[in-house]
Amino acid sequence: MRNVKVAAVQMSCLGTVEENIKKADSLVREASSNGANIILLSELFERQYFCQERRYEYYDYAKSLEENDAVNHFKKVSKELGVVLPISFYEKDGNVLYNSIAIIDATGEVLGVYRKTHIPDDHFYQEKFYFTPGDTGFKVWNTKFGKIGVGICWDQWFPETARAMALLGAELLFFPTAIGSEPILEVDSSAHWRRAMQGHAASNLMPVIAANRIGKEEVIPCKENGMQSSSLEFYGSSFITDNTGEIIESAGKSEEVILYASFDLDALMEDRLSWGIFRDRRPEMYIMK
Amino acid sequence: MRNVKVAAVQMSCLGTVEENIKKADSLVREASSNGANIILLSELFERQYFCQERRYEYYDYAKSLEENDAVNHFKKVSKELGVVLPISFYEKDGNVLYNSIAIIDATGEVLGVYRKTHIPDDHFYQEKFYFTPGDTGFKVWNTKFGKIGVGICWDQWFPETARAMALLGAELLFFPTAIGSEPILEVDSSAHWRRAMQGHAASNLMPVIAANRIGKEEVIPCKENGMQSSSLEFYGSSFITDNTGEIIESAGKSEEVILYASFDLDALMEDRLSWGIFRDRRPEMYIMK
């Protein structure tokens, strides 16, 4: 029996890095005081979602792993509280900028960095302007509380992400994200978004933990960069599934909340083996294009 | 605008091939009279599910494509009604036996055969005794009513199946199946089963049509081949999703019923492109093992 308690933090993001780190800090402490061992904050929580518009000056937000404020802050918090913290940040590696996540083990040690593999590009998600597609490949992390895989936002739409992490031995799948309304397409994709990840849980026989931000974030409309006058409203809806893809913890669209769930990783492994999915795969027949 | 109406037939299977073909014939005619263009019957509907027990004499059920009763019968029906019919059958190809499906176009012509890639093996699903894992690879079929992909039963649990067919250009994904209670594992997997396929629809932005059988099928308990005294109860729950994985048509666990849904394949393609999933894949980063 290897029990782990996970938490997904759903919060809005304020105007400054300092305010957001302070807010996240307080929520991480609350989750830890409620017994959480692995605590997931949402994507790029240090700032409002700057990818709504294309501005060269925002490139300055990118810092190396060693220089990022959130990573440095939460290394200390992790060590103090003994919790695992995947920390999303805008990474600068020489001339190249990535959408990255540092995995901080319960000792405060950074186990490494995963760089977002799939980069979206739409009117309000102009990420191809800011981020080079990641070069690390999918990774799993042998933390104090279990082997975890972490994908970032758009990665969550690709079954390849979840399967790759499962094949590398992941026991739990985490997805920090920043997703909201689609002002152009005029759809609320929240249920669709959940079903894609419920499918990853169902097909890989392991829990999925997803943390999204909430809140409407205004930008100044600017004709030159193709912006419309409306702005993104992030739809929360963070959730945790069991190993059959059933949603067992669910957040609303606008509440600040922490979700919790406990799992026995040994029991999950036993279930996974009894199901036979990984036994019966036939990689030689799969299409790679 | 390219409209297509699909149907999923949920039925119980009777004692003889003749009875089952007659029953399926009547349901196919009913679906066609209600305007269906592509009609999905469930897996191996010619017989009760013989894979519950291991008996050498059941190898005799396997026939070549040319000799199979259901395929020969429904080639005529397809031509008469002008409908597309994927027909599941136990196939003999020289010394090798497969769990196969013949895709009959609306003209009565067999476009080809797909052989089930993933073969399960459990106390009541002893398919590795009967079927060699398929050698055809995943396929899509350019039918009169659109480009369709067909996976067979256990294939439905693997995201690779759906993704492969989507990458080959499928517009609709069909899954004939035979799944029911798990007398040993003591779980009702029907919701889990649905979520796995809802995930395929959500991640590939295309409808999934699944047809399962219903009914309890008794077998004579036999200590020598490891059988217990209980028998499988097939749980129906056939369904059709939209292109976000939402279930739009749903059958109960024990009713004989035909589900219908209509889709505009051009509108679905437009949606798929606007979503950007296939644009942003990165096959060079995917793990194949």
Side-chain angles (χ1 to χ4, degrees):
Chain A
M1 196 150 140
R2 280 185 302 137
N3 280 326
V4 57
K5 186 167 183 177
V6 300
V9 173
Q10 174 166 304
M11 67 179 232
S12 64
C13 295
L14 307 170
T16 69
V17 171
E18 198 183 4
E19 284 173 301
N20 288 314
I21 289 180
K22 195 175 159 193
K23 189 173 188 173
D25 178 277
S26 143
L27 291 162
V28 163
R29 286 175 192 280
E30 182 183 333
S32 171
S33 75
N34 286 320
N37 306 120
I38 307 175
I39 304 166
L40 183 66
L41 291 159
S42 64
E43 185 190 18
L44 299 172
F45 65 88
E46 282 184 294
R47 292 182 177 81
Q48 295 222 329
Y49 184 67
F50 53 86
C51 315
Q52 286 199 66
E53 35 177 2
R54 288 191 297 268
R55 291 185 183 269
Y56 299 113
E57 60 267 35
Y58 291 169
Y59 290 149
D60 294 339
Y61 292 165
K63 301 277 178 235
S64 70
L65 173 69
E66 292 71 25
E67 291 170 324
N68 175 267
D69 292 327
V71 172
N72 283 324
H73 178 88
F74 284 103
K75 276 161 73 175
K76 284 176 253 156
V77 175
S78 156
K79 191 174 180 179
E80 179 194 334
L81 304 176
V83 295
V84 173
L85 294 172
I87 298 294
S88 166
F89 71 109
Y90 190 9
E91 184 187 14
K92 185 169 197 286
D93 179 26
N95 294 308
V96 193
L97 312 183
Y98 298 102
N99 185 330
S100 299
I101 195 151
I103 311 300
I104 308 177
D105 203 357
T107 55
E109 182 203 354
V110 175
L111 296 178
V113 165
Y114 163 70
R115 292 168 173 163
K116 185 171 177 173
T117 300
H118 302 100
I119 308 296
D121 192 63
D122 209 341
H123 298 78
F124 292 85
Y125 301 89
Q126 308 209 29
E127 296 200 15
K128 289 199 200 292
F129 180 77
Y130 291 104
F131 311 121
T132 291
D135 62 347
T136 57
F138 303 107
K139 294 192 156 199
V140 297
W141 311 96
N142 208 356
T143 74
K144 183 179 173 192
F145 299 109
K147 215 161 183 177
I148 68 170
V150 185
I152 304 174
C153 199
W154 195 226
D155 284 336
Q156 74 213 348
W157 290 90
F158 297 78
E160 293 87 350
T161 305
R163 187 61 116 200
M165 298 192 295
L167 289 171
L168 293 169
E171 299 176 296
L172 298 167
L173 302 177
F174 290 84
F175 290 101
T177 189
I179 189 169
S181 52
E182 298 282 345
I184 306 286
L185 296 175
E186 284 178 2
V187 293
D188 173 355
S189 65
S190 58
H192 182 186
W193 169 77
R194 282 179 159 196
R195 282 191 292 267
M197 280 180 279
Q198 288 181 268
H200 305 334
S203 294
N204 293 290
L205 281 298
M206 59 186 65
V208 162
I209 299 96
N212 189 20
R213 68 172 68 188
I214 54 169
K216 185 159 186 166
E217 298 185 9
E218 305 283 352
V219 294
I220 301 143
C222 170
K223 269 236 165 103
E224 293 94 74
N225 63 16
M227 290 296 299
Q228 319 285 316
S229 61
S230 60
S231 297
L232 280 182
E233 185 153 4
F234 295 91
Y235 56 54
S237 306
S238 302
F239 64 92
I240 302 176
T241 76
D242 68 8
N243 64 337
T244 72
E246 184 175 351
I247 291 179
I248 53 172
E249 292 296 328
S250 172
K253 292 197 170 179
S254 55
E255 49 170 349
E256 211 141 68
V257 67
I258 308 176
L259 305 178
Y260 300 94
S262 293
F263 299 105
D264 174 355
L265 300 181
D266 284 337
L268 291 178
M269 173 63 87
E270 207 175 291
D271 259 27
R272 210 149 46 234
L273 294 180
S274 74
W275 209 247
I277 295 273
F278 291 93
R279 176 194 63 197
D280 295 335
R281 290 181 73 253
R282 297 189 60 207
E284 75 281 13
M285 305 306 277
Y286 299 156
I287 288 172
M288 292 295 274
K289 70 169 201 178
Chain B
M1 196 151 140
R2 282 185 300 137
N3 281 325
V4 58
K5 186 167 182 175
V6 301
V9 174
Q10 174 166 305
M11 66 180 234
S12 65
C13 295
L14 307 170
T16 70
V17 171
E18 197 182 5
E19 284 174 301
N20 287 313
I21 289 180
K22 194 175 161 193
K23 187 172 189 174
D25 178 278
S26 144
L27 291 162
V28 163
R29 286 176 191 280
E30 182 184 332
S32 171
S33 74
N34 287 320
N37 307 120
I38 307 177
I39 303 165
L40 183 66
L41 292 158
S42 63
E43 185 189 18
L44 299 172
F45 65 89
E46 282 184 294
R47 291 184 177 81
Q48 296 222 328
Y49 184 68
F50 53 87
C51 315
Q52 286 197 69
E53 36 177 0
R54 289 189 298 269
R55 290 184 182 269
Y56 299 111
E57 60 266 35
Y58 290 169
Y59 290 148
D60 293 340
Y61 292 166
K63 301 277 179 235
S64 70
L65 173 70
E66 293 69 26
E67 291 170 323
N68 175 267
D69 292 327
V71 171
N72 283 323
H73 178 87
F74 284 104
K75 277 162 71 174
K76 285 176 251 154
V77 175
S78 156
K79 190 174 181 179
E80 179 193 335
L81 304 176
V83 296
V84 173
L85 294 171
I87 298 295
S88 166
F89 70 109
Y90 189 10
E91 184 187 13
K92 184 170 198 287
D93 179 27
N95 293 309
V96 193
L97 312 183
Y98 298 102
N99 185 330
S100 299
I101 195 151
I103 312 299
I104 308 177
D105 204 358
T107 55
E109 182 203 355
V110 175
L111 296 178
V113 166
Y114 163 70
R115 293 168 174 164
K116 184 171 179 173
T117 300
H118 302 100
I119 307 297
D121 192 64
D122 208 342
H123 298 78
F124 292 85
Y125 301 90
Q126 309 209 28
E127 296 201 13
K128 289 199 200 292
F129 180 78
Y130 291 104
F131 311 121
T132 291
D135 61 348
T136 57
F138 303 107
K139 293 193 157 199
V140 297
W141 309 96
N142 208 356
T143 75
K144 184 180 172 191
F145 299 109
K147 216 161 181 176
I148 68 170
V150 185
I152 304 173
C153 200
W154 195 227
D155 284 336
Q156 74 212 348
W157 289 90
F158 297 78
E160 293 87 351
T161 304
R163 186 61 116 199
M165 298 192 294
L167 289 171
L168 292 169
E171 299 177 294
L172 298 167
L173 303 177
F174 291 84
F175 291 100
T177 189
I179 188 169
S181 52
E182 298 283 345
I184 306 287
L185 296 174
E186 284 179 1
V187 293
D188 173 355
S189 66
S190 58
H192 182 186
W193 170 76
R194 283 178 158 197
R195 281 191 293 267
M197 281 181 280
Q198 289 180 268
H200 305 335
S203 294
N204 293 289
L205 281 297
M206 59 186 66
V208 163
I209 299 97
N212 189 19
R213 68 173 68 188
I214 55 170
K216 184 158 187 166
E217 298 184 9
E218 305 282 352
V219 295
I220 301 144
C222 171
K223 270 236 166 102
E224 293 95 75
N225 61 18
M227 290 296 299
Q228 318 286 316
S229 60
S230 61
S231 296
L232 279 182
E233 184 153 5
F234 295 91
Y235 57 53
S237 306
S238 302
F239 65 92
I240 302 176
T241 76
D242 68 9
N243 64 337
T244 73
E246 185 175 351
I247 291 178
I248 55 174
E249 292 296 328
S250 173
K253 292 197 169 178
S254 55
E255 49 171 349
E256 209 140 72
V257 67
I258 307 176
L259 304 179
Y260 300 94
S262 293
F263 299 104
D264 174 354
L265 299 181
D266 285 336
L268 291 178
M269 173 63 86
E270 208 174 291
D271 259 27
R272 210 149 45 233
L273 293 179
S274 75
W275 209 247
I277 296 273
F278 291 93
R279 176 195 63 197
D280 295 335
R281 289 181 73 256
R282 298 190 60 206
E284 75 280 14
M285 305 304 279
Y286 300 157
I287 287 173
M288 291 296 275
K289 68 169 201 178

